[in-house]
Amino acid sequence: MSDDIHLFLNNIDRYKLFMKKKILLILAAVVLLTVIVICVLRWNVWFHNAPEPSYTVSSKIAHIQLSLGDDFNDRFVSWQSIVLDSAKVNLDDYGVIWMPISDSVVMNNNNNAIAAVATVIDSEFESDTSALDNSIFVKANYRYIQSAGGEACYFYTKANLSPGRWKYSIVAGDTMSCWYETEIPDVDSVSILIIADVQDKQYSGTDTLLNSMFNRHKIDAVLQLGDLVERPHQQYWERYFQDFRAITSTVPMLSVPGNHDYIKGVNKHIDERFFCIFPSYLHDDSIPEYAVMQLKIGNTSFFIMDTNEPLSILYKQKKWLLDSDDNSDDSAENIIILMHHPMKSAISQFRDIRMKLCMGNVFNDINTDLVMAAHEHTVDIDETYEYIPQIITNFSAKNYEEDNGGRYYTLLLIENGKVRAEVYDEKHVLRHTFSLQ
């Protein structure tokens, strides 16, 4: 009798063990199937790069972009060029001439343009170069880029300019561009335009909307929160420069990296052209591990993040934020985070898990006053999980949320150290305004 009971108990134990293994196998199969389904559904999103159509660059000066540096008085000028044979071309003859227009402008430098590039200037000014006595010549850095569709050269320069009105001309060997005028405002009164997710595939009226915005508002600079182009292709950069042609050479702009600026793959990375068009991200003229920077305007600090990176890089950016805050002086009273992916999603709580895991309470730790994000092609004004004001905005003609569709822009008005945010729709109706405390 006892043997039967012992056998019965052993059978029960074996059955329990069998059922545990079966349940584990079922769970493993479900997890594996789920992963397979997700990979199938998201494969193109994660790994597929649409072929870039072939292109040929035919101009020595094209795609001129005026952009910002980490010092608000820094001005980068970048442009695309035909492929050059550096062994046959004197690259010292490539750069930018800066000349003050305002009488009040203080010259920080006086590398006279006449002496630097005499031949082309003498020809351009028909030997009367006295107008350039008060000028700066900034020699350009040079990068050759070969993409899937073609090849091009990129040049970029950096100048630190005092407040006032300036004009500049690009010198490319035996060629000079026309003169472009721009304003370096005093940091006590600055108006910043914030837009996001432009990514036009085709004409969508962006140029008309931009012109109406600039006609209505005083705008000193533009900050774009990622996905400036649909994909990192020459055709879409052409689309951007056509849509923004009224301001690319005269109003400084800086774009935050977005997922559409990346070349997809296991080793995904930002397309190199992005860094040549916005060279303030470069570290000693080299491509950085991740694209972050701190822009200071008076007592306001903008921390720009690259949120499309994997978890390990996001953790490094978290440390960068903490280190930057530790090394900053007490004059930075306003701290604004600019990034592509929201800290708190307006669409689903599952979309921001990665950000919550990596960033934790870091924005609260550095006393952030405002978070500005994009990616979701909608507009939402809320608070993060740390109760920090967050604005999600959209400037794309493509919307994901019908309730909050349309194109929006934000003006950040910095006046004597105080910051006010004004959110407008595409009809220029003020939808929301608040001041940073």
Side-chain angles (χ1 to χ4, degrees):
M1 185 69 177
S2 61
D3 290 340
D4 292 339
I5 293 173
H6 183 69
L7 180 63
F8 176 73
L9 293 175
N10 283 340
N11 288 336
I12 290 177
D13 290 338
R14 283 196 294 268
Y15 178 74
K16 287 180 178 179
L17 181 61
F18 169 76
M19 289 305 296
K20 285 181 180 178
K21 290 181 179 180
K22 186 176 181 180
I23 292 171
L24 288 174
L25 286 172
I26 292 173
L27 289 174
V30 169
V31 170
L32 180 61
L33 182 61
T34 302
V35 170
I36 291 173
V37 169
I38 291 174
C39 286
V40 169
L41 294 175
R42 302 289 294 176
W43 184 266
N44 285 345
V45 175
W46 291 339
F47 301 110
H48 176 67
N49 292 293
E52 180 179 16
S54 61
Y55 65 90
T56 301
V57 177
S58 57
S59 175
K60 292 181 75 173
I61 304 176
H63 291 185
I64 300 171
Q65 179 69 61
L66 183 68
S67 61
L68 296 166
D70 51 9
D71 183 327
F72 189 60
N73 286 354
D74 288 343
R75 290 296 180 271
F76 284 88
V77 178
S78 62
W79 68 96
Q80 187 188 62
S81 172
I82 58 175
V83 176
L84 301 172
D85 185 347
S86 58
K88 298 179 181 179
V89 175
N90 184 5
L91 295 177
D92 289 338
D93 291 341
Y94 287 73
V96 172
I97 302 170
W98 284 97
M99 290 179 58
I101 299 174
S102 307
D103 293 336
S104 59
V105 166
V106 177
M107 297 287 284
N108 298 331
N109 190 323
N110 193 23
N111 180 13
N112 195 281
I114 302 170
V117 280
T119 304
V120 64
I121 288 177
D122 190 62
S123 172
E124 183 74 16
F125 284 80
E126 298 179 351
S127 299
D128 182 12
T129 58
S130 59
L132 295 177
D133 288 345
N134 194 28
S135 64
I136 303 169
F137 179 74
V138 184
K139 181 184 171 184
N141 291 301
Y142 160 87
R143 292 186 79 91
Y144 165 78
I145 294 180
Q146 183 167 22
S147 66
E151 58 182 357
C153 289
Y154 288 83
F155 291 89
Y156 55 91
T157 68
K158 175 185 178 181
N160 185 268
L161 307 172
S162 58
R165 193 146 189 85
W166 293 78
K167 65 178 181 179
Y168 71 90
S169 174
I170 294 171
V171 178
D174 58 357
T175 303
M176 275 187 73
S177 73
C178 63
W179 290 91
Y180 302 98
E181 294 189 11
T182 189
E183 179 85 19
I184 312 294
D186 191 285
V187 294
D188 289 336
S189 180
V190 179
S191 177
I192 307 293
L193 171 66
I194 308 289
I195 56 176
D197 293 298
V198 179
Q199 57 186 94
D200 282 336
K201 285 186 176 181
Q202 55 197 10
Y203 182 77
S204 66
T206 298
D207 56 350
T208 302
L209 179 55
L210 274 173
N211 288 337
S212 65
M213 290 158 56
F214 275 81
N215 287 334
R216 288 172 178 268
H217 305 287
K218 172 186 175 292
I219 297 172
D220 297 309
V222 180
L223 296 174
Q224 206 279 149
L225 301 179
D227 288 1
L228 179 59
V229 293
E230 171 61 22
R231 292 253 53 97
H233 290 176
Q234 174 75 5
Q235 62 177 334
Y236 296 128
W237 281 114
E238 294 277 4
R239 177 76 268 157
Y240 157 69
F241 279 101
Q242 179 64 23
D243 287 342
F244 282 70
R245 63 190 179 278
I247 66 168
T248 56
S249 56
T250 57
V251 180
M253 179 169 169
L254 189 61
S255 186
V256 174
N259 53 295
H260 282 248
D261 302 307
Y262 271 70
I263 294 176
K264 303 176 189 177
V266 176
N267 184 29
K268 64 180 181 179
H269 58 278
I270 299 174
D271 182 64
E272 191 174 356
R273 284 168 285 196
F274 179 88
F275 294 109
C276 291
I277 294 168
F278 301 106
S280 55
Y281 290 106
L282 295 173
H283 294 169
D284 297 325
D285 297 322
S286 299
I287 303 296
E289 182 182 10
Y290 46 91
V292 296
M293 65 174 288
Q294 179 183 1
L295 166 65
K296 281 205 69 174
I297 303 178
N299 69 343
T300 301
S301 281
F302 293 86
F303 288 95
I304 297 174
M305 299 181 62
D306 180 6
T307 54
N308 199 54
E309 291 283 9
L311 300 183
S312 59
I313 302 299
L314 282 178
Y315 278 119
K316 289 185 179 181
Q317 293 185 53
K318 177 180 179 179
K319 185 178 184 303
W320 167 75
L321 283 172
L322 293 170
D323 291 344
S324 299
D325 183 62
D326 289 340
N327 295 328
S328 65
D329 54 42
D330 294 333
S331 63
E333 297 177 2
N334 307 305
I335 294 180
I336 300 173
I337 302 293
L338 303 178
M339 58 188 188
H340 186 62
H341 298 81
M343 188 65 189
K344 181 181 180 182
S345 172
I347 296 177
S348 167
Q349 61 181 341
F350 298 107
R351 290 173 65 97
D352 52 37
I353 291 176
R354 189 174 63 101
M355 295 299 296
K356 284 187 288 187
L357 284 174
C358 292
M359 293 294 107
N361 295 322
V362 66
F363 294 157
N364 196 45
D365 293 340
I366 64 172
N367 298 315
T368 300
D369 297 289
L370 175 65
V371 174
M372 300 206 66
H375 186 58
E376 299 189 330
H377 289 243
T378 186
V379 65
D380 182 69
I381 301 170
D382 198 354
E383 291 183 335
T384 68
Y385 298 103
E386 301 168 277
Y387 305 105
I388 298 169
Q390 175 183 263
I391 298 175
I392 300 175
T393 189
N394 172 59
F395 198 69
S396 175
K398 177 172 62 176
N399 296 122
Y400 295 160
E401 292 287 297
E402 293 184 4
D403 293 341
N404 291 316
R407 307 172 87 164
Y408 291 80
Y409 63 95
T410 300
L411 287 180
L412 290 182
L413 308 173
I414 304 174
E415 293 284 345
N416 297 316
K418 304 296 182 183
V419 180
R420 186 172 78 257
E422 298 178 349
V423 181
Y424 293 87
D425 63 22
E426 59 191 305
K427 296 181 179 179
H428 312 293
V429 175
L430 180 62
R431 301 291 294 269
H432 192 82
T433 181
F434 63 90
S435 298
L436 302 191
Q437 300 299 320

